[in-house]
Structures are given as C-alpha cells and as structure tokens.
Amino acid sequence: MATVKAIKKSAKTTKAGAKKAAVSKGTANKSAKTKAKTAAKKRTAAKAQSKKRSETKTIKQAAAVKKSAQKPAKKVAAKKSIKKIDWANLPFGYMKTDKRFVAEFKNGKWNAGKLTSDDTVSLSECAGVLQYAQTCFEGLKAYTTEDGRIVTFRPNLNAERMERSCERLEMPVFPKERFVEAVLAVVKANKFYVPPYGSGATLYIRPYMFGANPVIGVKPADEYQFRIFVTPVGPYFKGGVKSIAVRISDSDRAAPRGTGDIKAGINYAMSLHNIVDAHKNGFAENIYLDPATHTFIEETGGANILFITYDGKIVTPKSDTILPSITRRSLVYIAENILHIPVEERKIDKSELASFAECGLCGTAAVISPVCSIYDHGRDIRFSACENGMGPVLKKLYDTLTGIQMGHILAPKGWIYEVT
C-alpha cells in the first residue's frame, strides 16, 4: 500500500512539476513574443525615421538644385569678378573681360562669327597687317543709365565709318547690321563688366579688322578677321574735368587726299612720335594744320576741335582730311536742334585763334576736353573761359550729351541702343 501511495504521490508531484514547467514555458514564450514584437516595432520606427530623414534630405537637395538653377553659374562667376574691380579707381586702360567676338573672311565671304573666351590672336609672320599695316578700327562705349539699363551710343554710325575705312583700304566690309548685332552681343556677354551708374567709369568697345593671311607682295590680303573686345575704363579725367594745353605741330597728320578721313591704324602710328614729343615738352596734344598749306586748323592726333566765339556761336573746322568724329557730329546736332546754338562748319585760319572765347577737343574718350591754351611757335594763345575747366557753352554741350547717354535726357530717335 505504501508503495501504491508513493507512486501516486510521485505522479502528483510529476504532474505538478509538468504543469509548473508548462506555465514557466508559456511565460517564457510570451516574454519572447513580447520582446520580438517590441523589437519589430523598434525596427519599424527606425525604418520610418530613416525614411523621413532621407525624404527631408531629398527635399533639401531639390531646393538647393532649384536655387542653383535660378542663379546661373556665369552670374555667380561675374559677381566674383565685380568684387575685384575698384570702379572708383579704374584707370583708362585695358582689362581682359570674359568674351569677345571673332568673324573670319575666307574664300570671298564672312563666316557666322562667334563669341569666344580666347583673347589671343594667332597669325603668320607674313600676315598682311604685319607687313603692310592693313588695319582699321572703331571706338565706342556702353553705359549704365540711372534706371539700370545698359545702352550703347550710336553704334550704327561706327559701322558706317568702318565701312568707309574698309573700302579705302581694300578690305571686305563687315555688314552694318551684323556689326551692330555683334557690338550688342559682346556687351551682353560682358554685362557684369559694365561699370555701375554714377561711378564715372564706362565700358569701352573696340571693333577692329585686319589682313590675316601671308602677303609678301604689296597687295591686299585675301583673308581677314573682324574682332570686337571690350574693357571697363575709368573717367578720362581723374578728379574732374581739367583744362589742357596743346601746341600747333610742324608735322602732318595726314597727306592731302590721303587717309585722314578714315580710322586707319597707320594714321595713329605716324602720330606716336609727335605725341610723345609733345608730352615731353609739357603739352597734352598736337593740333595739326592742313597738309597742303599749313594754314588752316584741322584736328589733333585723336580728337576733333570745337571753338566758341564771344557771342556764343560754335565754329568747327571743315576739311577732307579730318576724321568725321561721331561725338562732334552729335554735339553739332545737339547745338542746332536742342540748345539752338548757331553752328558754322568752315575752314579756320590759325590767325583767327585769338578771336575765340572757348576751345575744346571732342571724342569718345573724354567727350569734351577743354583747352586753356594753344602754343604756336612762341605765341601762347589763351582761352580765359576755359582756364579752370569748360567754358559755359562747352559745359552745356557736355551736360546735354552725357545726359542723353546716361538716360537723364530723352535721346533723339535712333541714338540709343539698349542691351537686352
């Protein structure tokens, strides 16, 4: 009986232990499941957080790309260039800019031309321009107006004048319409080099053409390049307009029936020795007389001349060997049609110089340079109204023309070309 009881007791104990073990196993399983669920939730949360970070990064990257797209690379680069330019202290000299225009004439026709960042010119040692000086050029400016526009002044007249120069030098004419288009394109490509309004600085534009292929016999070249570069320049007169002293030269600027009325490079080459000598002797420029008689006033090495009589009339020299200055032509138009000042274009004998109240040189660089004295072989002829700057009539002309260029005064039709 004891044995039976012991067996029953043992069975109960085993059953209880099994039950306890089962309960324990169930608890362990439940705990494992809970832990698994918690881990799964954590993994899900981590994935969600990672996805959110990824989406946020993508949104930020997209915004950065959009912002970058709104600011072209050229503009950013140009701003960096502008920061390096001290507009207030800019010299009247050359500075390399981003783009220039080049067109080539070969096989009897001009190619389409292009803007390029390459500022070098590669030529044969026997190129026509190097051997026989077959070249001509132009000069004009671009400005920032008070309302922020970028404009050029009468480039169509520069195109027409270069056309005459090319015809006289047996060079192919670059079409007027393409000339103007190229000027505007180069200015637009370098618009961040156009000095700001009020700085006194401007963007100088230099179109030029030359014989490019080898020429050993004296004859025109067969191939040519037409180019335009631009460079920002400071005001011609630092610290305000200053009066200058000039002298009458014994040398000739141009031969009778020669190239004086076109903008040929050779005209300027022959004047270099004379201008250096003038500077050594304290004069700013040379006034050249007519080459036939050495009696009549013509122009200086780089500018036309204006005289003002004591009764307020403008008198300017007339000659077939004078370069037709676009600035002078514009000032004459302003005088007659806006300021209603009488103008005479005629031969001026050098004996008349003392009868004028004001004298000024006019050209692209300075617009008007007042002359306080002309030295004529021991005789100093002075213009009292220009002792300390421009006289009253020259000042009116200057203010009106620069007012038109800067947008203060309504320009005559066709004078201003806006760069867009």
Side-chain angles (χ1 to χ4, degrees), residues 92-105:
F92 196 91
Y94 173 76
M95 175 190 295
K96 179 184 174 182
T97 53
D98 294 335
K99 297 288 184 180
R100 64 270 313 131
F101 178 82
V102 182
E104 295 183 329
F105 183 88

Side-chain angles (χ1 to χ4, degrees), residues 35-49:
K35 286 180 179 179
K37 284 183 180 179
T38 302
K41 284 182 180 179
K42 285 182 178 179
R43 284 195 299 271
T44 302
K47 285 182 180 179
Q49 192 172 2

Side-chain angles (χ1 to χ4, degrees), residues 24-100:
S24 177
K25 185 178 181 180
T27 302
N29 289 340
K30 187 176 181 181
S31 177
K33 286 180 181 178
T34 301
K35 286 180 179 179
K37 284 183 180 179
T38 302
K41 284 182 180 179
K42 285 182 178 179
R43 284 195 299 271
T44 302
K47 285 182 180 179
Q49 192 172 2
S50 176
K51 185 178 180 182
K52 187 175 181 180
R53 281 198 300 266
S54 178
E55 289 175 348
T56 302
K57 187 177 180 182
T58 302
I59 290 170
K60 287 181 177 180
Q61 287 175 339
V65 170
K66 185 177 180 182
K67 188 176 181 181
S68 176
Q70 290 172 346
K71 280 191 172 183
K74 283 186 178 179
K75 190 170 183 179
V76 173
K79 281 189 174 181
K80 287 182 181 178
S81 297
I82 283 178
K83 289 178 182 178
K84 296 177 182 177
I85 300 175
D86 182 2
W87 299 114
N89 296 297
L90 199 63
F92 196 91
Y94 173 76
M95 175 190 295
K96 179 184 174 182
T97 53
D98 294 335
K99 297 288 184 180
R100 64 270 313 131

Side-chain angles (χ1 to χ4, degrees), residues 10-28:
S10 176
K12 284 181 181 179
T13 301
T14 301
K15 189 177 181 181
K19 188 176 180 181
K20 186 176 181 181
V23 170
S24 177
K25 185 178 181 180
T27 302

Side-chain angles (χ1 to χ4, degrees), residues 120-134:
T120 60
V121 179
S122 180
L123 290 173
S124 163
E125 62 185 352
C126 196
V129 62
L130 302 178
Q131 302 306 315
Y132 303 114
Q134 198 181 13

Side-chain angles (χ1 to χ4, degrees), residues 48-246:
Q49 192 172 2
S50 176
K51 185 178 180 182
K52 187 175 181 180
R53 281 198 300 266
S54 178
E55 289 175 348
T56 302
K57 187 177 180 182
T58 302
I59 290 170
K60 287 181 177 180
Q61 287 175 339
V65 170
K66 185 177 180 182
K67 188 176 181 181
S68 176
Q70 290 172 346
K71 280 191 172 183
K74 283 186 178 179
K75 190 170 183 179
V76 173
K79 281 189 174 181
K80 287 182 181 178
S81 297
I82 283 178
K83 289 178 182 178
K84 296 177 182 177
I85 300 175
D86 182 2
W87 299 114
N89 296 297
L90 199 63
F92 196 91
Y94 173 76
M95 175 190 295
K96 179 184 174 182
T97 53
D98 294 335
K99 297 288 184 180
R100 64 270 313 131
F101 178 82
V102 182
E104 295 183 329
F105 183 88
K106 291 183 178 180
N107 300 318
K109 62 181 180 180
W110 289 103
N111 67 7
K114 64 179 181 179
L115 291 171
T116 176
S117 58
D118 186 1
D119 65 326
T120 60
V121 179
S122 180
L123 290 173
S124 163
E125 62 185 352
C126 196
V129 62
L130 302 178
Q131 302 306 315
Y132 303 114
Q134 198 181 13
T135 181
C136 61
F137 67 95
E138 280 295 324
L140 63 156
K141 288 182 177 180
Y143 314 83
T144 300
T145 61
E146 189 173 14
D147 58 4
R149 294 175 300 126
I150 296 175
V151 301
T152 61
F153 183 70
R154 309 190 80 177
N156 57 314
L157 295 190
N158 292 94
E160 291 172 4
R161 188 168 66 181
M162 180 170 257
E163 180 177 338
R164 290 192 297 273
S165 297
C166 289
E167 289 172 346
R168 290 281 295 284
L169 295 173
E170 287 298 323
M171 302 168 74
V173 171
F174 194 74
K176 176 180 174 179
E177 295 75 15
R178 291 187 61 190
F179 179 104
V180 173
E181 288 172 3
V183 165
L184 299 179
V186 176
V187 175
K188 184 176 182 179
N190 295 285
K191 64 181 180 180
F192 299 107
Y193 289 94
V194 181
Y197 172 80
S199 64
T202 53
L203 187 75
Y204 189 82
I205 307 166
R206 171 54 60 84
Y208 60 109
M209 190 189 299
F210 55 86
N213 67 295
V215 181
I216 196 64
V218 182
K219 64 178 182 178
D222 297 315
E223 298 177 2
Y224 297 84
Q225 287 190 30
F226 170 74
R227 289 175 168 259
I228 304 175
F229 70 80
V230 298
T231 181
V233 295
Y236 193 78
F237 294 110
K238 294 290 185 184
V241 176
K242 300 174 183 176
S243 297
I244 59 175
V246 300

